Amino acid sequence: FSKSVEDALRHFADVLWLGQSPLADWAEVRAESHVERGKRLQKILREAVQSLRPDGERPPEPLPREWYNYVTLHDAYIKNAPNREVMSRLYVSEGTFHRTRRQAVRGVARWLVERKNAGRL
């Protein structure tokens, strides 16, 4: 399931792709067209990434560790910043960046499952 979530995040800006994605099927996103379906899934994904955001304003760099999961997904997928740029912002190695991203994607996947199980997706 995490793979489907990561694929959807990688295509975050492409509402056509999102509208036809397996994640949209899993989330049972309903809309009048696949474009609208993609926009709804995009909104859900944005909310899921936002759920990782710590309280308060984003501090100046270097960012505290509690911001890593949110910044990794938000900057790489929502803002479409290159991975190298995100790594330099976080002052982390490529390996640490990929581990952080995997952990954050698992967090988003879990949030999605919990919301769907609660009937609030």
Side-chain angles (χ1 to χ4, degrees):
F1 181 66
S2 290
K3 177 77 169 107
S4 293
V5 171
E6 188 169 10
D7 286 346
L9 286 168
R10 286 178 195 256
H11 292 92
F12 182 81
D14 187 352
V15 293
L16 297 174
W17 190 96
L18 290 175
Q20 299 173 52
S21 71
L23 189 60
D25 293 336
W26 174 87
E28 300 173 8
V29 177
R30 305 277 180 253
E32 297 198 13
S33 71
H34 73 280
V35 172
E36 285 304 313
R37 188 174 188 227
K39 287 179 182 179
R40 287 188 184 169
L41 181 58
Q42 189 180 57
K43 182 180 177 191
I44 291 167
L45 289 170
R46 182 178 284 115
E47 188 178 344
V49 170
Q50 282 297 117
S51 75
L52 300 175
R53 189 181 194 283
D55 291 333
E57 294 295 314
R58 186 170 170 163
E61 295 171 12
L63 292 169
R65 186 108 176 100
E66 64 263 15
W67 283 84
Y68 283 18
N69 290 331
Y70 169 74
V71 168
T72 298
L73 295 186
H74 180 267
D75 290 10
Y77 297 126
I78 309 288
K79 291 177 80 177
N80 203 26
N83 288 346
R84 289 269 173 221
E85 186 177 310
V86 179
M87 284 185 273
S88 71
R89 237 180 249 150
L90 298 176
Y91 298 99
V92 297
S93 68
E94 189 171 356
T96 300
F97 172 78
H98 290 297
R99 278 190 300 281
T100 302
R101 184 175 61 197
R102 280 192 305 273
Q103 177 182 348
V105 167
R106 282 193 303 268
V108 165
R110 184 176 183 123
W111 184 90
L112 291 168
V113 167
E114 290 171 354
R115 294 287 290 213
K116 184 175 181 184
N117 290 343
R120 297 180 11 212
L121 191 53

